[in-house]
Amino acid sequence: MKLTAHKRWIVWAFAFLLGSLGMAVAANDLSLQTSIFSPESAPADSIKHLSFLVLGISGAIFAVVTGMILYATVRFRQRPDDDGKEPPQVYGSNPVEAAWTIVPILIVVVLALSATRVIQEIQNAPKPESALDVVVTGHQWWWEFSYPKLGIVTANELHVPVSSPQKRLPTFLQLRSADVAHSFWVPRLSGKTDVIPNRHNQVWIEPQRAGLFVGQCAEYCGTQHAKMLLRVYAHTPEDFERWASEQKAVQAEGPQVAAGRMVFQRTACINCHTLDNTIADGRFGPSLSHLMSRETLGAGALSNSPANLRAWINNPSQFKPGVRMPAMNLSDSDLDQLVAYLATLK
Ligand code: CUA
């Protein structure tokens, strides 16, 4: 089949649109873990519905505008028999001007009202008695999670109970910053909320099934912004109770850890970290009291194992250039003893 020039042009345009659509679907598949289109919690769910409305309206506008441009481009393109004269010009038309003023205003009003309604619904959601409170503090470049009523302080991995209609257990998060602006975002659980110094923002999540939900800092906050990752573990209420009691327990230690604890207490570790059973009560870095109960080190920079922990302490900036934790320059034997001690902190 021989295509005329303009038909070939239309075929290319369609191929381009299909290609972009295909790539968008593939990208969404890869990032399903952080997709706002697969919500698992009440606020993320209403955000998804709102996004579909906004996408629908803007998609329709896109189709109409692109369609008109394509039509005009093809229909009124230059032809060999053109006489070179300008087409008739139209100046001033009240009905046309009124239409292109009123229609966009109506569209903007619809978008603004529906967004306002969803924002109000989420921000003014009543907090049930059974809600769990967590204070989230953004630091360069890690997250501190403290559960004031439970007396638990942990880092980077937030543990919450699963909520059900019979037993509602949402988690209300107070967002604070220890330094610069960060942003708390776990796309499948809730909307992005900024973490601003000297300001208390609030966000709540209510996961409906157990599992791991990943997120990350969503506001550029310095060199290691990209490695300020977040993990939210939703547990059945029983599993959550078990986790909480493990975090509260002060652990019994065997004599073999004493040497490692000595190393810890005579280095600068104690200035920045808190650790049960030692003199360390620093708040600049994450609490180490239950270090090995976490799956990652360095706010998701690497997985947590004794070997990785050793490499991390030896030179953290190897994994996270610019990290606030200095290389401690410990001797090999000190490092071994220290890691042997830290590895017992379940
Ligand atoms: Cu914290 Cu980006």
Side-chain angles (χ1 to χ4, degrees):
M1 182 173 65
K2 179 110 177 62
L3 292 179
T4 57
H6 89 262
K7 277 189 187 145
R8 214 176 295 141
W9 197 88
I10 292 174
V11 169
W12 274 113
F14 264 107
F16 175 76
L17 278 177
L18 276 179
S20 327
L21 197 68
M23 281 196 294
V25 169
N28 189 46
D29 199 45
L30 284 175
S31 62
L32 205 60
Q33 279 241 304
T34 50
S35 171
I36 65 160
F37 296 115
S38 47
E40 295 279 359
S41 169
D45 210 38
S46 21
I47 292 169
K48 183 186 89 171
H49 290 129
L50 178 64
S51 345
F52 275 135
L53 176 76
V54 174
L55 274 177
I57 292 178
S58 27
I61 295 173
F62 176 80
V64 168
V65 172
T66 318
M68 280 158 71
I69 292 176
L70 281 177
Y71 174 78
T73 317
V74 174
R75 172 78 177 72
F76 300 110
R77 72 195 189 286
Q78 192 176 39
R79 292 192 169 80
D81 57 344
D82 273 352
D83 55 10
K85 282 199 213 118
E86 292 269 312
Q89 304 291 305
V90 181
Y91 294 103
S93 160
N94 288 340
V96 171
E97 283 171 20
W100 74 45
T101 310
I102 292 168
V103 171
I105 289 178
L106 287 179
I107 294 173
V108 170
V109 167
V110 167
L111 290 177
L113 287 182
S114 20
T116 312
R117 209 195 64 196
V118 173
I119 291 171
Q120 291 289 329
E121 250 174 40
I122 294 176
Q123 284 190 344
N124 301 341
K127 178 173 164 180
E129 281 288 304
S130 54
L132 176 70
D133 287 302
V134 178
V135 178
V136 177
T137 310
H139 294 255
Q140 282 178 318
W141 291 279
W142 61 282
W143 300 94
E144 180 181 329
F145 299 121
S146 108
Y147 301 66
K149 285 184 201 149
L150 301 176
I152 295 171
V153 179
T154 183
N156 305 320
E157 298 178 5
L158 177 66
H159 293 255
V160 298
V162 165
S163 185
S164 61
Q166 299 78 33
K167 194 181 178 199
R168 283 200 59 209
L169 291 170
T171 304
F172 278 67
L173 307 161
Q174 295 288 334
L175 305 178
R176 305 186 183 169
S177 169
D179 36 50
V180 300
H182 303 273
S183 187
F184 184 92
W185 196 28
V186 184
R188 299 180 73 184
L189 299 182
S190 74
K192 192 186 285 179
T193 308
D194 280 0
V195 180
I196 307 288
N198 300 317
R199 199 190 142 81
H200 292 180
N201 281 346
Q202 183 181 264
V203 66
W204 57 276
I205 57 175
E206 192 170 358
Q208 306 294 318
R209 66 163 180 88
L212 167 63
F213 303 100
V214 293
Q216 76 171 88
C217 178
E219 172 76 43
Y220 183 73
C221 53
T223 23
Q224 283 302 324
H225 157 71
K227 283 190 186 146
M228 188 165 167
L229 304 174
L230 264 166
R231 299 163 82 84
V232 178
Y233 295 84
H235 302 286
T236 60
E238 302 75 48
D239 285 351
F240 177 76
E241 288 303 323
R242 192 173 317 130
W243 175 83
S245 60
E246 281 166 11
Q247 292 289 310
K248 279 185 277 190
V250 175
Q251 29 212 317
E253 290 170 344
Q256 76 280 9
V257 302
R261 189 197 290 129
M262 283 300 289
V263 175
F264 180 80
Q265 296 204 101
R266 69 176 142 78
T267 55
C269 310
I270 53 171
N271 296 334
C272 295
H273 295 284
T274 294
L275 180 41
D276 288 350
N277 297 328
T278 73
I279 54 171
D281 60 357
R283 297 285 305 277
F284 195 68
S287 162
L288 302 177
S289 293
H290 296 272
L291 175 65
M292 297 318 273
S293 72
R294 303 203 284 262
E295 289 187 350
T296 61
L297 293 171
L302 64 170
S303 64
N304 189 4
S305 66
N308 282 349
L309 181 59
R310 191 181 196 282
W312 170 265
I313 299 169
N314 192 40
N315 185 11
S317 62
Q318 178 192 345
F319 304 99
K320 224 171 153 173
V323 64
R324 298 290 195 226
M325 174 166 159
M328 299 313 298
N329 292 318
L330 294 172
S331 68
D332 274 352
S333 69
D334 278 0
L335 203 49
D336 288 337
Q337 288 173 332
L338 181 58
V339 172
Y341 167 47
L342 294 176
T344 64
L345 305 171
K346 298 282 157 44

